[in-house]
Amino acid sequence: MKKSIATRSFLAAATFAAFQIFTHCSKKEDPMPRGIDAVFVGSSDNKLYALNSKTGAKLWEFATKGTVHSSPTLAIGMAIVGSSDQNIYAVDLKTGAKVWEFALDMGISSAPTVSGNTVYVGMGGTSNFTSKLYALDVVTGAKQWEFVADGISISSPTVVNGKVYVGGFNNLYALDAKKGTKLWEFGTGAGVDSSPSVVDGVVYVGSNDYNVYALDAETGAKKWNFSTGGEVSSSPTVSGGSLYIGSFDRKLYAVNSQTGAKIWEFRTDGPVLSSPSVSNGVVYVASNDHKMYAVDAKTGAKKWETWSTNRIQASPVVTDSLAYVGGIDGRFFAVDVQSGAKKWEFQTGGAVYSSAAVLSSSAKTYFSGVSGLQQ
């Protein structure tokens, strides 16, 4: 059964996965302010929050006119985020003051991605049942190009080697990053809400047809697919030769990234829309069973679990000492990566589907994980 547009919108938490990890500008091109320990996260109360990452104290909030299910990305001293009010905003990291905004003709719940001097944002749903992907100047917000796809999608784009990879209504697209022209597309049996990961010339992506696919990044030719027992809105993370991904069948899977053979599975008590993050041999993932888990990356054995009061569909963001995630109860919290003990929590005014972005005082940035990297 196809999900309604309203139902699909909440899947942003599993697809946002801020997959701009590969696409950050160099330090020379992309200076980040030092001396700030902050975590940035959106909420259904129409706001983007900046919190002290060590204490949870609010630094500032930025109000939009719609829900902020989109996960923010950080670039050149700004937090960039989409809203259901059909705008994308660039906000000063230190003050929360708006730097620019760009009006779209669709609400945005996917995560923006920055590569070089361009921010890529989409997808969403327009009035004529299409999705669009925009390329904007990261400094000014001026439009460079737009790509129109049939149907509605909430996949977040990934940019690698001059190509943009993004999910569509029933397919995955590869576009020229400078021109926005389509290079190839790969059809799946259902919508692609998952955001693609690109590692060593291979694109990995989940589909609502219950499969995870590995495709040749240049041609779109299928290398393998792995079947789960449910829709795969979670986005894949590749680390140490393994691919980690969640499914509606209530499981987190580890799969050989070269062959697609299953290595292990870990069962939760609810659908796993969250995308896994991998750090120091541990996989962090959340579930609709109200829990976030830490699982041994090699064996699938549970190291710890921590509870929330409602479903968690956002993806954990992991630093050296803390993991951050929010839930449907509006609580955003930080836990110790070793024990799962809660360090602090911040109550927003709405559900948190957004995954966070973290900026450390040394100017390191952390996002939800792809390919085992968080910074």
Side-chain angles (χ1 to χ4, degrees), residues 97-220:
K98 184 175 68 177
V99 179
W100 55 258
E101 68 180 83
F102 180 82
L104 312 166
D105 59 356
M106 59 186 179
I108 292 295
S109 55
S110 58
T113 296
V114 175
S115 179
N117 62 356
T118 302
V119 55
Y120 301 87
V121 63
M123 308 284 270
T126 65
S127 57
N128 60 347
F129 201 66
T130 60
S131 294
K132 290 185 178 181
L133 181 71
Y134 290 88
L136 310 175
D137 185 281
V138 71
V139 177
T140 66
K143 185 173 75 171
Q144 297 176 352
W145 53 256
E146 67 180 62
F147 173 78
V148 181
D150 291 334
I152 295 174
S153 175
I154 56 170
S155 174
S156 302
T158 299
V159 186
V160 178
N161 294 331
K163 296 181 180 63
V164 184
Y165 302 91
V166 69
F169 182 56
N170 285 307
N171 45 27
L172 180 76
Y173 295 102
L175 311 175
D176 184 283
K178 291 185 177 180
K179 301 176 182 179
T181 52
K182 185 174 67 176
L183 301 175
W184 55 257
E185 66 180 88
F186 175 83
T188 71
V192 180
D193 297 326
S194 173
S195 299
S197 172
V198 184
V199 182
D200 295 334
V202 181
V203 184
Y204 302 94
V205 71
S207 171
N208 293 334
D209 67 3
Y210 294 21
N211 284 284
V212 183
Y213 293 94
L215 311 174
D216 185 280
E218 287 296 321
T219 66

Side-chain angles (χ1 to χ4, degrees), residues 23-47:
T23 62
H24 274 286
C25 315
S26 69
K27 290 295 181 183
K28 185 178 293 186
E29 297 171 319
D30 187 9
M32 300 298 289
R34 292 178 174 269
I36 301 175
D37 285 300
V39 55
F40 306 87
V41 68
S43 171
S44 295
D45 64 6
N46 300 357
K47 294 177 181 177

